[in-house]
Amino acid sequence: MLELAILGFLAEGPLPGHELRRRVSHLTGHTRPVSDGSLYPAINRLAKAGLLERRADPSAGGARYILSLTETGRADMLERLRKPAEHEITDHTRFYTVLSFLSLLPDMTEQHAVLRRRLTFLEEPASFFYDGERPMRAEEVADPYRRGILLTARATSRAERTWLREALGEEPPTFS
């Protein structure tokens, strides 16, 4: 997801390395801090693969540079957005990285296909806690902290499913 974030931010325009780091850090937040030890090797991999260009920033001195996306990099980024891996759909933070740049896909049908995959995932019965193979509901859990986790996850999932249906132009399901 780090590489998608780099490519996505550079798709919005060239950036100096320190500004790219700031934007990626803001996107991933406190849950997945971005270190120089992960960001700069990723930038080097992308540059070596021809997905981004690095040029000296004459206004900032010799050690500073500006990064920009190549056409090959734009095509790679769009493909990553069209076909995110399964873990990029199921992992909350990874999906938010995909979602942050999904509007860069020019075809709304492709955007909606990604949103439908996420909605399908969220509609599957799941839990953090199980009784054998059966997912447990918050009402079945005695531990107040585990119940809190389940109640918070339920509310978050409900809100996200509502938003996804709205974005897809779908009506929420009705229950009898």
Side-chain angles (χ1 to χ4, degrees):
M1 293 318 312
L2 177 58
E3 290 183 357
L4 177 59
I6 293 168
L7 296 172
F9 281 122
L10 292 178
E12 297 170 352
L15 293 169
H18 67 278
E19 177 62 19
L20 177 62
R21 182 180 193 278
R22 187 182 71 76
R23 290 185 189 191
V24 171
S25 292
H26 286 172
L27 177 63
T28 60
H30 65 280
T31 58
R32 296 196 177 147
V34 177
S35 69
D36 290 345
S38 59
L39 178 66
Y40 292 103
I43 289 171
N44 289 334
R45 281 191 308 275
L46 294 169
K48 188 175 181 178
L51 304 180
L52 60 86
E53 292 177 334
R54 182 184 307 175
R55 67 182 192 288
D57 182 357
S59 66
R64 299 280 177 147
Y65 52 89
I66 299 288
L67 300 166
S68 58
L69 196 62
T70 65
E71 285 306 312
T72 304
R74 180 171 301 282
D76 182 88
M77 177 207 59
L78 292 173
E79 191 60 22
R80 290 172 192 238
L81 291 170
R82 276 184 197 100
K83 298 177 183 170
E86 191 63 24
H87 68 276
E88 295 166 348
I89 295 293
T90 60
D91 180 271
H92 183 79
T93 303
R94 290 175 189 265
F95 181 70
Y96 277 12
T97 301
V98 171
L99 196 58
S100 295
F101 303 106
L102 196 59
S103 64
L104 296 174
L105 273 178
D107 184 343
M108 187 174 284
T109 303
E110 292 176 331
Q111 294 172 7
H112 283 191
V114 173
L115 297 180
R116 278 193 184 81
R117 284 182 61 199
R118 176 69 175 180
L119 182 58
T120 298
F121 163 71
L122 291 173
E123 289 178 335
E124 290 294 318
S127 179
F128 294 102
F129 310 105
Y130 287 79
D131 180 10
E133 295 294 316
R134 186 182 62 78
M136 294 180 73
R137 297 176 46 85
E139 296 75 15
E140 301 172 311
V141 176
D143 182 292
Y145 306 110
R146 287 184 175 193
R147 188 172 45 255
I149 290 170
L150 294 173
L151 290 170
T152 302
R154 180 190 299 163
T156 302
S157 178
R158 184 178 295 139
E160 187 176 353
R161 288 190 321 266
T162 298
W163 176 80
L164 285 165
R165 286 187 194 99
E166 286 174 10
L168 292 166
E170 298 176 358
E171 293 294 319
T174 55
F175 300 99
S176 328

